Amino acid sequence: MKQYQTIIGTRCMLIAFSMSYYSCVKEVAPLPAPKSVTICDSLNVKYSIDIQPIIQTHCVNPGCHSAGGGSSGTDISSYQLLKSYADQGRIRARVIDGTNGWMPNTGPLSFSDRQKIDCWLKNGAPNN
């Protein structure tokens, strides 16, 4: 009888342990990957508000890329001239990718400024 009680007690303990263990383990579906947010998604980049001040501060004001400036005649002081270089891929190559050296020649723009310009270029470099 004692042996029978031991077997029953052991089985009850095993059942109780199994129930408590499986009640704590729950299959949960993996969390969906977070939607990557880029500056193009979260910021409506405008030429007059975002891009022109960057160009004026880092490119035109020092006299490098203005009419009569010293940079191989590359004048980007107006939207039309800048758009022309943007359409040729020259802005992306020098400002975003650093192909053939970075512009401005003092080194790359801040990450935030490069993202704004990249977004503006991806949207077709609108005059907005």
Side-chain angles (χ1 to χ4, degrees), residues 27-44:
E27 293 275 334
V28 177
L31 292 174
K35 181 182 175 193
S36 85
V37 177
T38 64
I39 196 161
C40 285
D41 293 337
S42 62
L43 178 66
N44 186 9

Side-chain angles (χ1 to χ4, degrees), residues 113-126:
D113 285 349
R114 284 184 285 136
Q115 276 192 317
K116 287 177 187 176
I117 292 171
D118 186 42
C119 181
W120 179 69
L121 293 170
K122 285 178 181 176
N123 288 326

Side-chain angles (χ1 to χ4, degrees), residues 30-123:
L31 292 174
K35 181 182 175 193
S36 85
V37 177
T38 64
I39 196 161
C40 285
D41 293 337
S42 62
L43 178 66
N44 186 9
V45 178
K46 302 241 184 259
Y47 172 74
S48 59
I49 296 171
D50 302 298
I51 305 305
Q52 190 175 26
I54 296 170
I55 300 301
Q56 292 297 321
T57 301
H58 297 284
C59 310
V60 174
N61 264 352
C64 293
H65 292 290
S66 59
S71 184
S72 312
T74 307
D75 180 5
I76 58 172
S77 59
S78 71
Y79 169 78
Q80 290 78 16
L81 295 167
L82 182 64
K83 172 76 167 139
S84 169
Y85 290 112
D87 290 345
Q88 296 170 24
R90 293 175 69 182
I91 304 295
R92 174 171 303 288
R94 296 299 299 269
V95 176
I96 306 301
D97 302 333
T99 306
N100 297 324
W102 289 101
M103 280 289 140
N105 60 10
T106 56
L109 295 173
S110 70
F111 180 73
S112 173
D113 285 349
R114 284 184 285 136
Q115 276 192 317
K116 287 177 187 176
I117 292 171
D118 186 42
C119 181
W120 179 69
L121 293 170
K122 285 178 181 176
N123 288 326

